[in-house]
Every structure is written in structure tokens, then in C-alpha cells.
Amino acid sequence: MVTTRGKNIKFDLDSSEGELDGERDDEGHAEPPPKRQRSKHPKTPKGDPASNPGSSSGKGKEKATSGANQLITRRNGRGGKLRDLMNMPVDIFTEVCSYLGPYDLRRLALTSKRLWDILMTKEARHIWKTAIASIPDLPECPTDLNEPQYICLLYSSECYTVPVRPMNKGCTSRGTKVDWFHRVRFCTACHAENPPSRGLGLNQATLSQIVSYFDSSPVMYFAKGYRRAPPYYIEAIKKAGREYEALSQEQTADYLSRLKDRRDYQITSGDDMVQWKDSQIASRADDIAAEKNARFESIKVKLFELGWDEKDFPISNKEFKDLVLKNQKLTPK
């Protein structure tokens, strides 16, 4: 094997001998070539794409490195206002939550899975009780509900319709109709459905025995906007019917007695919730009227400064009334 390292190789064939000039120099004991000067650049491993500034892979690595630095910079930056919320001690976090109302506490629990796991435990029950106690005149949590379920019933907008198949999702419409007797929410379409006389999977004798204990008319008759609402909740009747049919004849009388006691309690607690809700609606209506009047008075002051007279106000004009009588605070704009 011909060794060519450190030699000046000339690829010009000699016509006489047909050998490389470098080999002839070896045979003639020629002077060794001058040593190669050291490069000022640091050595890089052979085949490293980053050593070639013109290679595309080197550029990609350069961009990836700069991108990683940017992410680190962002991650170690100021962050959001709640960046230290998950790092604070549990007692301080509990103290912060004690100042939240029921609606804000539920929204906080829905923020992340970690907060949900913290707040939806028995150890956090006192936080929910404190939030409920902060609302004036709010009835106590019913015994058939826990505190998060009670707050969800009061403040959420979810439809409680059970999907027909387990793999299907439930109704995604806004649950604006509340059944205070059965403690459920429905959208307008699901609330208007009447329970069918067939298809419940129950005997007619069973249905006639238990259906009267699930009539929500004594509670919902006094609720605003529910005078024509269906008085029965299908899923509650199905569950009670299956339990009733699984009992012996001696146990049915005791079971019906328990249904009667539960119905009486649901009527009493349901009436309290209806009265509280009606008072909230009336209070909100008074607040809206006060905001509209305050806006109108502010507009009148501005118009008087511009030289208007109260007789010049087009009160009969609908567009003027819609513009002036809004439950929105007047701004300089």
C-alpha cells in the first residue's frame, strides 16, 4: 500500500516511467515538505455538521439551540400572576380559597386537574362550607347533595341529561331550567320532554305505587316560568322502580315510607331554594334598574352642559331609549 500522508502528490503521470512524482522523491531522498501551520480554529470532530456553517443540518441545530434558549428564557421569566399558586403551602392556599365565593371557587376547581384533585376531597370540605356560608340568606346544603353538587346546581349551566349509550356524550346545551325538587338542571329541549308511559322497563303496578313520590309540582308550581313544566324526572323513577321490584313484599312498605319522608324533605328544602332564587332575581332586577337610571342621569348632565334642554330629549324614540337605558356604566368615550 502506498503511503501518501504528508506528501505533496502530483497527479501528473511521467511518460517515461509511469510513476507518481511523489514516489520518485522518496527514492531520491528529497527534503521533507514543510510542516503544516496550526489552524487558529479549534478542532472539531470529523463529520460534525455544526463545523460546516454552510450545511443545512448545522443551521437547523443552530436554530434548535437558539429556540431552546428562548424557551428557557420564557420559562424562567416573570410568568403569570398565578405562577406561585401551586407552590404555596396548603394552609396558605386554604386561606386564599376561604375568601372566594361559591361561583369563583367552582371556577378555580375547573382550572386544572391538579386543583380539581385538591378541592374535590373530603379534606377540602370546609372550604366549600365557608364559601356557601359567605352568601347571605342562602339555604344550607341539602343532605342528599354534597357541597360541590349544591354549588353546581345553583351556579352552573350544564344539562344533566344522561346519554342513551355509555359511549355517547350527554347534552351540551345550556341547562337553564332547574328542577329544585329533583336537584337537576336541563336545557329547554330536554326539560320539555314528558316521561313516556312505556319504555321505562317497569311494571304498571310498580309505576302506580312509586310515581306519586316523584311529583315535583308542589315545589315547581311556585317557581317562575315553570307552570307548564313536566313534574317527573325519568331517571329517578327508573332507579326507584328497580329498587322497589328487587324487594320482597314485607320490605316494600318500609321502602315506600322512606320515599315519602324523602319527598317531604325535598319539598321543604326545594321551597327554600326557590324563594332564595326568586329573591336573587328580584335583587338583580333592582340593580339593573339602578344602573340604567344612573346612566341616564349621567347622559342628562352631559347634554345639559352642551346646551340641551330636557324638552329636547326624544324619549319617545326607541333608538334613543335603547341607547340611553342600558345597564352599562357611562364612560368618557
Side-chain angles (χ1 to χ4, degrees):
M1 178 180 293
V2 179
T3 303
T4 60
R5 185 175 182 180
K7 300 179 180 178
N8 294 329
I9 301 175
K10 297 181 180 179
F11 291 95
D12 296 331
L13 291 176
D14 190 1
S15 58
S16 60
E17 299 181 5
E19 295 179 355
L20 296 177
D21 289 347
E23 293 181 358
R24 291 201 307 270
D25 292 341
D26 275 344
E27 291 177 359
H29 301 283
E31 294 182 2
K35 293 183 178 181
R36 189 170 51 186
Q37 296 180 356
R38 288 185 178 182
S39 175
K40 296 181 180 180
H41 302 286
K43 291 184 178 181
T44 55
K46 188 177 181 180
D48 188 2
S51 62
N52 185 7
S55 64
S56 60
S57 58
K59 291 181 180 179
K61 186 174 181 180
E62 216 172 291
K63 291 181 180 179
T65 306
S66 62
N69 293 335
Q70 288 179 2
L71 289 175
I72 293 172
T73 303
R74 291 176 186 174
R75 195 175 294 122
N76 295 337
R78 292 182 61 186
K81 294 181 179 179
L82 301 179
R83 61 186 181 275
D84 297 328
L85 182 63
M86 301 304 299
N87 299 326
M88 66 175 59
V90 178
D91 53 346
I92 299 179
F93 176 76
T94 303
E95 182 68 20
V96 172
C97 292
S98 64
Y99 291 95
L100 298 178
Y103 178 79
D104 295 329
L105 184 60
R106 184 175 182 273
R107 298 294 296 178
L108 178 63
L110 294 173
T111 303
S112 66
K113 188 177 184 299
R114 175 62 177 160
L115 290 176
W116 179 271
D117 294 339
I118 293 174
L119 293 174
M120 294 297 174
T121 56
K122 292 182 178 179
E123 290 76 10
R125 189 174 184 181
H126 65 283
I127 302 177
W128 297 93
K129 288 185 175 181
T130 304
I132 292 175
S134 65
I135 303 299
D137 302 328
L138 179 64
E140 294 183 358
C141 179
T143 57
D144 53 340
L145 296 176
N146 55 41
E147 286 77 11
Q149 289 175 343
Y150 185 41
I151 293 176
C152 182
L153 178 66
L154 295 175
Y155 295 103
S156 75
S157 59
E158 303 171 3
C159 183
Y160 287 14
T161 301
V162 180
V164 179
R165 298 179 180 179
M167 297 301 294
N168 295 347
K169 294 183 178 179
C171 182
T172 57
S173 300
R174 288 180 57 84
T176 56
K177 303 291 185 180
V178 187
D179 190 334
W180 302 107
F181 178 83
H182 294 294
R183 287 81 153 108
V184 289
R185 275 183 174 270
F186 293 112
C187 64
T188 304
C190 296
H191 188 263
E193 293 181 358
N194 291 314
S197 58
R198 298 179 182 180
L200 294 178
L202 303 175
N203 297 328
Q204 190 64 31
T206 302
L207 191 61
S208 61
Q209 288 288 336
I210 66 173
V211 71
S212 61
Y213 299 107
F214 297 92
D215 185 4
S216 62
S217 299
V219 174
M220 301 308 298
Y221 181 79
F222 298 100
K224 294 182 179 180
Y226 294 89
R227 298 297 173 84
R228 297 182 179 179
Y232 302 108
Y233 179 37
I234 300 175
E235 296 300 324
I237 296 176
K238 285 183 179 180
K239 181 180 178 181
R242 289 192 292 267
E243 293 175 354
Y244 180 83
E245 292 178 349
L247 299 175
S248 62
Q249 189 173 2
E250 292 79 11
Q251 296 173 332
T252 54
D254 183 51
Y255 183 76
L256 293 177
S257 177
R258 292 200 304 270
L259 286 182
K260 182 181 180 301
D261 295 339
R262 186 175 69 178
R263 180 175 181 269
D264 295 339
Y265 175 74
Q266 288 177 325
I267 291 175
T268 304
S269 58
D271 287 338
D272 296 339
M273 287 187 281
V274 168
Q275 293 176 9
W276 176 82
K277 189 64 176 180
D278 291 345
S279 66
Q280 293 293 308
I281 294 174
S283 176
R284 178 56 182 162
D286 294 340
D287 294 341
I288 292 175
E291 292 175 2
K292 289 182 178 180
N293 292 332
R295 176 185 173 89
F296 185 44
E297 293 298 327
S298 300
I299 292 175
K300 286 171 65 176
V301 171
K302 295 290 184 182
L303 293 178
F304 288 154
E305 293 176 356
L306 296 175
W308 283 54
D309 190 78
E310 192 168 358
K311 298 179 181 179
D312 300 330
F313 297 162
I315 300 297
S316 59
N317 190 348
K318 184 179 182 301
E319 295 181 0
F320 180 80
K321 292 176 66 176
D322 293 341
L323 179 63
V324 172
L325 298 177
K326 284 185 177 180
N327 57 333
Q328 185 178 358
K329 189 177 180 180
L330 189 65
T331 59
K333 295 182 179 180

